[in-house]
Every structure is written in structure tokens, then in C-alpha cells.
């Protein structure tokens, strides 16, 4: 299956419109941790059928560079079933469901997903879900969405649509609280959490994504999705541990080998939770090795 990877390792994913075949080959060369082929917003109603039919071509264009692949399907019943059928047939494992506001929406998909798995001779439960939360109702239901189905692997916060639903700018003052609600709900359920407490629309100022990603990481998000390749490096940088954090984590882990119970490293008390954080920091930094180094500060 194309998506036989962990969502938890994604720091920076990239949206790729399935309505634009000229982008398929280059998409694999951008260095994204995941590619999200889009059948929803980037495809007009008249383009939906052709975009869906282009999925096998998109996967073929990735070739051996195919890594973690997600497809954002349409929530609209006019297209949802055909989208799911095409993804199941193409071997896609991860489906991003947009505009999720209730656990009933996700549970209602279960019979059809099971049917597609049987028809396509796929393992039961192999079609996994990412719930894209884009509205106030969705934010308030985040905890129930994360546990609505065993298929749910991630919650994704859509800042732009959330702000539009409230008729407000996509700024920190309005987005910090809902973003953290989504992140906490996802992590409490053991799911990945993708998103930023701000806008990704400013592609001319890609460097501004790094501090936004750092804030997102501090909230509990594990990664985010980019709309332009120039945003990938700063986004990934923001989600990586800093060089100082990595160095301290190494000291903590090394000291733990000769200490019992609580102990002190660099003037800070270390106990079991702090040691667990140190291991997680080193694991995160190690997972990024070869694709991106830790932050320098």
C-alpha cells in the first residue's frame, strides 16, 4: 500500500492538486514528508471526475520516490463514494475527510469503507482516516472525533476555513485556542495532530512559517501541511527540536544510565516524565536526520 508509513513522523506535508498533472513528477522532488493529493478545494465541480481519474497517473509519476501519500476526498455526497472507490482501488491507505463536524460523519463511512476493502481485496481496516476540522462545531467536537472510529489516525486543523466561518482574520488571537483544542484532543487519543495556529496563505513570506510552526509544536501539533514547496523547509525547521534541546536531551539520557530516581542535569531536576521527554526529543531529531537537521537555536 502507498501509505504504509506513520503519520506521526510528518513534520511538513505538501498539498498537490490532482487537477494539475504537470505538478505530479515535481511533487516527489520537493522533499515533503507526505504528499496530500487534493480532490476537494483545488478541483472545480467540472474537474472532479478528471482529477479523480488522474490519481493512478499521479502515483505512477512518484515512482520509487513514493512515500507517505494522503488523498483529500470530498465530503459532498455527490463525489465522496467515487473518491473513496478510486483511492481504495489505487492502494491509497490514508483518506483526509474535510469539513468534519460530528463523530456520526466518520462512523457513517465505516460500512462503505469495509465494503471497499472487501471488493478491492484489501486487509480489513486498511483504509485510514484523517479528520479535517474547519469549523467552530468541529473544534468543539474534536475530542469525540478523535475517538469516533479506530480508523482515525489524525486530526487536522484548517485555520483558514475556521476563521472564515467566524468571519475573522486568521490571526493568533483568534486561532490559538481552537488550534490547541484540536491538538490536545488528537494527542489524548493517540493520534497525530497536524495544523498551525495561523495562515499558510502568505506564500511570498515562507520564512514566517517557522515561528508559526514552533508555536504549533509548543501546542502539541506533530506537523502541518504546506500549500507551496517554499514553505516546507521553514515548516519542518519549526517542528524539529532545537540544537540546544537535543544537546540537553543527550545529557539527560546519558546521566540516566548512572542515576536512580530523580537527579539534576544542568541545574534542572530530572525525573521519569523529563527522561521520557528527552527520549522523545532524540527520537524526533533522529527521525529527521537525512532530511533536515535540528534547529540551530
Amino acid at each position: 500500500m502507498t501509505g504504509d508509513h506513520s503519520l506521526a513522523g510528518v513534520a511538513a506535508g505538501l498539498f498537490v492538486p490532482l487537477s494539475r498533472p504537470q505538478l505530479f513528477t515535481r511533487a516527489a522532488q520537493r522533499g515533503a514528508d507526505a504528499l496530500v493529493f487534493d480532490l476537494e478545494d483545488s478541483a472545480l465541480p467540472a474537474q472532479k471526475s478528471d482529477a479523480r481519474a488522474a490519481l493512478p497517473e499521479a502515483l505512477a509519476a512518484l515512482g520509487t520516490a513514493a512515500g507517505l501519500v494522503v488523498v483529500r476526498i470530498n465530503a459532498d455526497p455527490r463525489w465522496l463514494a467515487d473518491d473513496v472507490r478510486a483511492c481504495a482501488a489505487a492502494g491509497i491507505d490514508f483518506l483526509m475527510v474535510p469539513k468534519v463536524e460530528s463523530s456520526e460523519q466518520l462512523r457513517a463511512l465505516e460500512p462503505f469503507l469495509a465494503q471497499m476493502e472487501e471488493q478491492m481485496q484489501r486487509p480489513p481496516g486498511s483504509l485510514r482516516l484523517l479528520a479535517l476540522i474547519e469549523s467552530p462545531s468541529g473544534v468543539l467536537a474534536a475530542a469525540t472525533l478523535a475517538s469516533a472510529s479506530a480508523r482515525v489516525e489524525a486530526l487536522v486543523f484548517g485555520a483558514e476555513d475556521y476563521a472564515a466561518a467566524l468571519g475573522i482574520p486568521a490571526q493568533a488571537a483568534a486561532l490559538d485556542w481552537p488550534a490547541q483544542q484540536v491538538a490536545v484532543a488528537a494527542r489524548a487519543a493517540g493520534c497525530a495532530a497536524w495544523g498551525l495556529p495561523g495562515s499558510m496563505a502568505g506564500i511570498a513570506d515562507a520564512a514566517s512559517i517557522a515561528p508559526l510552526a514552533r508555536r504549533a509544536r509548543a501546542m502539541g501539533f506533530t506537523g502541518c501541511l504546506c500549500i507551496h514547496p517554499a514553505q516546507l523547509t521553514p515548516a519542518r525547521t519549526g517542528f524539529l527540536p532545537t540544537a540546544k534541546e537535543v544537546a540537553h536531551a543527550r545529557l539527560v539520557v546519558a546521566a540516566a544510565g548512572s542515576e536512580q530516581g530523580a537527579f539534576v542535569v544542568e541545574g534542572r531536576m530530572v525525573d521519569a516524565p523529563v527522561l521520557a521527554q528527552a527520549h522523545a526529543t532524540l527520537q524526533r531529531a533522529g527521525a529527521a536526520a537525512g532530511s533536515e537537521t535540528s534547529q540551530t537555536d
Side-chain angles (χ1 to χ4, degrees):
M1 299 294 175
T2 59
D4 193 17
H5 303 270
S6 169
L7 299 184
V10 174
L14 179 65
F15 273 110
V16 182
L18 276 169
S19 57
R20 300 182 63 186
Q22 68 272 24
L23 300 179
F24 295 164
T25 300
R26 283 182 289 169
Q29 303 167 356
R30 299 301 191 180
D33 300 320
L35 295 177
V36 182
F37 287 116
D38 187 31
L39 285 169
E40 196 212 14
D41 285 350
S42 64
L44 297 173
Q47 298 174 317
K48 300 287 188 187
S49 180
D50 288 343
R52 188 185 306 115
L55 181 56
E57 177 187 349
L59 295 175
L62 297 183
T64 57
L68 196 151
V69 177
V70 178
V71 175
R72 180 166 69 171
I73 63 175
N74 289 277
D76 192 313
R78 290 177 293 173
W79 304 300
L80 185 149
D82 287 338
D83 288 352
V84 172
R85 185 176 291 105
C87 290
I92 296 294
D93 287 343
F94 295 111
L95 309 178
M96 184 181 294
V97 185
K99 300 176 175 60
V100 179
E101 295 187 325
S102 72
S103 55
E104 288 74 17
Q105 282 177 266
L106 298 175
R107 286 196 288 264
L109 288 173
E110 179 63 38
F112 185 60
L113 295 175
Q115 178 187 353
M116 288 298 98
E117 288 166 347
E118 183 177 4
Q119 287 186 6
M120 306 297 176
Q121 298 183 331
R122 297 172 52 112
S126 59
L127 289 170
R128 316 299 291 173
L129 301 177
L130 295 82
L132 178 52
I133 297 175
E134 307 175 85
S135 69
S137 295
V139 169
L140 293 177
T144 62
L145 298 179
S147 58
S149 166
R151 295 180 184 271
V152 177
E153 294 278 341
L155 298 186
V156 185
F157 178 55
E160 295 285 359
D161 286 272
Y162 175 86
L166 291 179
I168 58 175
Q171 297 175 347
L175 296 177
D176 279 357
W177 179 82
Q180 190 145 37
Q181 289 283 105
V182 173
V184 170
R187 302 303 294 278
C191 297
W194 292 357
L196 295 173
S199 174
M200 293 290 284
I203 59 176
D205 185 19
S208 66
I209 299 300
L212 196 58
R214 283 194 289 271
R215 281 188 29 236
R217 181 166 75 100
M219 291 179 175
F221 282 100
T222 56
C224 69
L225 296 174
C226 302
I227 60 174
H228 191 279
Q231 297 173 330
L232 288 169
T233 295
R236 187 181 291 108
T237 297
F239 277 102
L240 291 181
T242 66
K244 183 176 181 180
E245 289 171 335
V246 172
H248 180 74
R250 286 176 177 150
L251 288 176
V252 168
V253 171
S258 58
E259 298 283 353
Q260 294 183 352
F263 55 96
V264 176
V265 173
E266 294 185 322
R268 297 180 62 186
M269 184 65 69
V270 176
D271 56 7
V274 176
L275 179 59
Q277 289 177 345
H279 280 293
T281 295
L282 295 181
Q283 183 178 19
R284 184 75 169 174
S291 61
E292 195 71 38
T293 57
S294 299
Q295 300 176 48
T296 57
D297 192 7

